[in-house]
Amino acid sequence: MVASKNRQLHSLQHAMVAVAGGDGTVQRAAAAARDHGIPLAVLPAGTFNHFAKDLGMFPLPAAIAAVQAGTVAKVDLGEVNGKIFVNTASVGAYTDFVTVRERYEHRIGKPLAAVVAAIRTLGGAKAVRLRVEDLDGEVVDARFSLMFLGNGRYEPRGFAPVHRATVDDGRIDLRLLGVTRLGSRARVILDLFRGRIERNRRYQQYSDAEYHFDLPDGPYRIARDGEIGEEIDHLDARVLPRALTVIAPAHPPRR
């Protein structure tokens, strides 16, 4: 749901970018709309329509009505190493984890699908080493298997986030899961099944406007909105506050 105050376009003759497709297609259209300073209209024609749902542009009749009304809002974009994302970015096995989970969740439910995804991805997942300087100037090393970066704070906690209450809260949602031993892997899988991964000490969650990490054992592939990107050996993530103008309902339905 878009929390920003909407305003009326003067005329539907104004230029806009309309996009119908998956998250990767929406991301590219968002970049074009931002670069040209024109509104983006997201039509829900992808598999999961995450961004469209969080904007209130779902189902399709709601999106068409919003386009006809011409109401717009300002929303945030995420950025990693200079390239934007509209929903999520990740390093490590998270993209594979999500792909498997979403393949099964409509048949067996999200908790059990998360277990299947964990078994298939965590077993062969390579631990990624992260290095960061803390507030006291001390260098901290950590290892993780899954990293999730969200454009805005997602709900619920854990590694099955579903939606955002708002897309303009000025935050990057960071979630890390470190699984390096067989015993810890079994506990993580059990906690995923029970829906209690947020209580596992190997799970960490943060919310801030920006993050800066070194990945000293890299390079690693980064994914943005499910699309595999370039190899990186450092990660600079930040929010671009209210950087994108979107078509959105004046009164989005509650989710």
Side-chain angles (χ1 to χ4, degrees):
M1 181 187 299
V2 180
S4 301
K5 186 176 181 179
N6 294 305
R7 62 180 174 82
Q8 186 77 27
L9 283 174
H10 294 300
S11 168
L12 288 178
Q13 300 302 313
H14 280 69
M16 73 174 68
V17 175
V19 58
D23 293 338
T25 303
V26 172
Q27 176 207 100
R28 291 187 288 274
R34 181 195 63 162
D35 292 345
H36 289 85
I38 56 179
L40 174 70
V42 182
L43 305 178
T47 304
F48 295 99
N49 302 299
H50 297 300
F51 197 53
K53 288 178 179 177
D54 290 338
L55 294 177
M57 298 286 279
F58 185 89
L60 183 59
I64 293 173
V67 171
Q68 292 173 335
T71 49
V72 300
K74 295 281 191 179
V75 299
D76 298 342
L77 290 172
E79 182 186 85
V80 176
N81 291 15
K83 297 182 180 180
I84 71 163
F85 61 95
V86 296
N87 293 319
T88 66
S90 63
V91 178
Y94 181 71
T95 300
D96 295 335
F97 174 85
V98 171
T99 299
V100 177
R101 191 197 73 210
E102 291 183 338
R103 186 184 305 155
Y104 289 97
E105 64 184 33
H106 293 297
R107 285 183 277 171
I108 61 177
K110 194 178 290 289
L112 189 55
V115 173
V116 173
I119 292 172
R120 292 197 175 188
T121 58
L122 293 180
K126 180 181 178 182
V128 177
R129 183 179 167 210
L130 176 154
R131 177 182 290 171
V132 61
E133 185 175 305
D134 66 17
L135 296 177
D136 297 323
E138 297 292 327
V139 175
V140 178
D141 273 352
R143 293 184 181 274
F144 66 88
S145 300
L146 304 180
M147 172 189 278
F148 166 94
L149 290 161
N151 173 30
R153 286 170 287 195
Y154 275 76
E155 296 294 340
R157 291 172 59 85
F159 269 89
V162 177
H163 65 91
R164 292 159 282 192
T166 176
V167 195
D168 64 348
D169 65 4
R171 291 290 183 266
I172 296 292
D173 188 346
L174 171 64
R175 306 182 186 193
L176 299 170
L177 184 63
V179 183
T180 57
R181 297 178 181 177
L182 184 60
S184 62
R185 190 179 308 143
R187 181 57 186 268
V188 163
I189 290 172
L190 177 62
D191 284 343
L192 282 168
F193 177 70
R194 298 169 66 186
R196 298 175 59 179
I197 191 63
E198 72 277 3
R199 302 182 185 181
N200 192 297
R201 64 184 180 84
R202 296 166 187 86
Y203 171 82
Q204 300 176 67
Q205 182 171 339
Y206 308 92
S207 175
D208 209 335
E210 58 183 275
Y211 304 93
H212 304 281
F213 304 134
D214 287 325
L215 304 172
D217 295 339
Y220 302 98
R221 288 287 182 188
I222 186 168
R224 300 175 183 85
D225 296 315
E227 300 287 327
I228 302 300
E230 73 279 12
E231 293 186 332
I232 63 171
D233 57 12
H234 69 283
L235 188 149
D236 295 317
R238 63 173 180 150
V239 67
L240 303 177
R242 299 167 59 83
L244 178 67
T245 302
V246 294
I247 302 292
H251 303 288
R254 291 184 177 273
R255 295 182 59 193

